[in-house]
Amino acid sequence: MTQQHPSTADQPRVVALIVAAGRGVRAGGDIPKQYRQLGNFSVLTQTLLAFLQTDLVDLVQIVIHHDDLQLYQHALGGIEPSSLNRLAKPAYGGATRMQTVNNGLEALGTVSSASDIVLIHDAARPFVSQNMIMQAIAAAIQHGAAVPVLPVTDTVKRVNEAGHVTETLDRSSLRAVQTPQAFRFGLIRAAHLAAAKAGHHDASDDGGLIERAGLMLATFPGDHANIKLTTIEDFVMAETRMATAPMMLTRVATGYDVHAFGEGDHIWLCGVNIPHDQGVIAHSDGDVALHALCDAIFGVIGDGDIGVHFPPSDPQWGGASSDQFLAFACARLTAHGGIVDHLDISIVCEKPRIGPYRAAMLARIAQIAAIRPDQIGLKATTSEGLGFTGRSEGLAALATVTVRLPEPKKGSSDAR
Ligand code: MG
């Protein structure tokens, strides 16, 4: 059966604003830190690549310092010409970071609508991941304004001018804030203009302007790898990390699941409730597609199978919603350093028809596994009346997952 891709008409346009006008002297050297070499490319080239080499972002606007035009043009040399057509002409920075961002927003104003999503990102954070960009977009769509945060692990104290401690802060309620910070374009544009009008020009981050306007600022999980390169030590650490980064190996595994039809008025498939004149006989909700996916994911990391982690004999999984099984399998994969490249599912049944639910299924799996719907293959087939599926005694699903995993270290006992 030929099935169409889900509509993306409800997805807002996404623009990225890269803030690259800082002078960055603490990192040493005679050029601003965003133009310093890190591995094979400049820091800025790598940051731009993170936003240009993804189809999550429609347009990238950069804001540079007037004095850096030549450095900037040199940095573009590391980028394939085909990626450059989504990069707008640079805007120029102001006296403060806030004015620099404002200049970038103004440049975007001619091509953006209020409902667009804008990701505002520091050029000195080249390790921003695709996953982080995706989470930023999702958070802005849901909340209008959101910043990535990390728990503070060091104890934080307030000191006076003499360097004497005056207070120990309760770190449980403290968070360190990163970028990309994500906003509806109209919201952050208005917040910037209002702050500037009130004579406020030196906010250290854009989320702060949303707070200042009395609006809700949501958070989403930051990433420890997404460091801001500030000092010479940061560069040394980043170089070391790049040199010792493990090679990623591709792994593929399959999963298979069957449930028999029984009494009932609906079935669960790919996390979606489908009305049907039968149900399935199962301890959990009997979602064959998610169960097959779980087994495939456990397969790539050599981590048993769904029955090991969620034994049918255990009453706590009675009637359980299978989305938690898939979330658990994905978390195990992440704990192994794995990245999902692709999930592929085939559902085998005579009835119900899958077509009407296909887009919802893709969206649900993408949400649980934190991937894009276009990273999921989803097909359905009948078995031409043959066998148990043909006789409509039950339904089956096959899944194949493709992931990248860090190469195990030499001498490691890791069974991977
Ligand atoms: Mg099952």
Side-chain angles (χ1 to χ4, degrees):
M1 102 165 76
T2 310
Q3 291 173 320
Q4 280 193 328
H5 235 53
S7 164
T8 52
D10 54 340
Q11 288 293 314
R13 193 159 160 277
V14 177
V15 297
L17 176 54
I18 309 297
V19 187
R23 309 322 293 146
V25 288
R26 272 186 289 167
D30 50 6
I31 56 173
K33 61 182 179 181
Q34 61 272 33
Y35 296 103
R36 275 185 64 147
Q37 196 81 359
L38 180 67
N40 294 329
F41 300 106
S42 73
V43 171
L44 179 62
T45 306
Q46 303 195 40
T47 303
L48 282 173
L49 283 173
F51 289 91
L52 289 171
Q53 290 185 339
T54 169
D55 50 11
L56 297 168
V57 175
D58 299 295
L59 180 74
V60 177
Q61 173 70 58
I62 187 165
V63 194
I64 63 171
H65 194 279
H66 269 292
D67 296 346
D68 296 344
L69 191 56
Q70 235 180 341
L71 286 168
Y72 172 66
Q73 274 159 354
H74 184 73
L76 295 188
I79 301 173
E80 276 179 42
S82 61
S83 296
L84 289 174
N85 55 16
R86 284 187 294 124
L87 180 64
K89 210 166 77 135
Y92 291 100
T96 63
R97 183 189 186 279
M98 186 181 147
Q99 286 172 347
T100 294
V101 172
N102 203 18
N103 292 354
L105 291 173
E106 198 175 301
L108 282 170
T110 56
V111 291
S112 300
S113 70
S115 62
D116 286 357
I117 300 298
V118 57
L119 309 176
I120 304 180
H121 186 68
D122 295 328
R125 292 186 191 269
F127 299 118
V128 56
S129 68
Q130 297 299 292
N131 190 34
M132 183 116 197
I133 292 172
M134 195 156 59
Q135 287 194 52
I137 295 168
I141 290 172
Q142 195 181 347
H143 304 289
V147 295
V149 295
L150 287 174
V152 174
T153 49
D154 293 329
T155 296
V156 180
K157 295 190 190 289
R158 195 186 299 281
V159 295
N160 62 19
E161 280 175 15
H164 300 160
V165 172
T166 59
E167 188 187 358
T168 300
L169 300 172
D170 173 16
R171 73 178 177 201
S172 67
S173 65
L174 295 176
R175 298 291 181 274
V177 179
Q178 303 186 320
T179 71
Q181 302 192 352
F183 311 93
R184 289 283 180 187
F185 183 79
L187 202 62
I188 192 65
R189 181 82 176 111
H192 262 273
L193 291 175
K197 204 172 162 192
H200 183 68
H201 296 291
D202 54 1
S204 65
D205 81 325
D206 302 286
L209 296 177
I210 297 294
E211 291 171 67
R212 201 176 180 278
L215 299 170
M216 197 270 286
L217 180 63
T219 63
F220 58 97
D223 177 359
H224 288 284
N226 179 32
I227 58 165
K228 184 173 183 177
L229 299 173
T230 305
T231 63
I232 296 168
E233 289 77 14
D234 294 337
F235 274 82
V236 172
M237 246 163 52
E239 288 281 4
T240 309
R241 207 181 78 189
M242 288 176 80
T244 57
M247 185 129 98
M248 297 297 271
L249 301 179
T250 294
R251 285 223 171 175
V252 176
T254 62
Y256 175 67
D257 194 43
V258 170
H259 282 278
F261 282 127
E263 296 261 300
D265 59 6
H266 70 276
I267 61 170
W268 286 92
L269 266 177
C270 300
V272 174
N273 185 321
I274 300 177
H276 189 47
D277 55 11
Q278 288 175 296
V280 293
I281 301 168
H283 187 62
S284 67
D285 66 7
D287 190 324
V288 285
L290 295 193
H291 295 181
L293 266 183
C294 287
D295 269 357
I297 293 171
F298 291 130
V300 284
I301 51 175
D303 192 13
D305 61 27
I306 194 167
V308 171
H309 296 288
F310 304 101
S313 56
D314 186 338
Q316 70 167 307
W317 308 121
S321 163
S322 297
D323 52 4
Q324 61 188 303
F325 300 163
L326 180 57
F328 173 85
C330 290
R332 297 285 279 206
L333 176 66
T334 303
H336 281 72
I339 299 166
V340 173
D341 279 325
H342 191 252
L343 304 176
D344 189 62
I345 305 154
S346 296
I347 297 165
V348 188
C349 60
E350 300 294 317
K351 285 184 301 186
R353 271 177 43 78
I354 303 305
Y357 303 97
R358 194 167 177 281
M361 290 171 165
L362 288 172
R364 185 70 188 117
I365 292 172
Q367 187 182 27
I368 302 166
I371 57 174
R372 303 186 309 272
D374 67 7
Q375 291 176 283
I376 305 165
L378 176 58
K379 298 135 290 159
T381 183
T382 69
S383 38
E384 303 282 327
L386 300 170
F388 73 90
T389 51
R391 293 187 298 270
S392 287
E393 293 165 7
L395 76 172
L398 302 97
T400 305
V401 308
T402 308
V403 304
R404 271 169 295 151
L405 278 162
E407 185 177 34
K409 288 195 185 78
K410 270 210 177 95
S412 160
S413 61
D414 189 337
R416 293 199 321 260

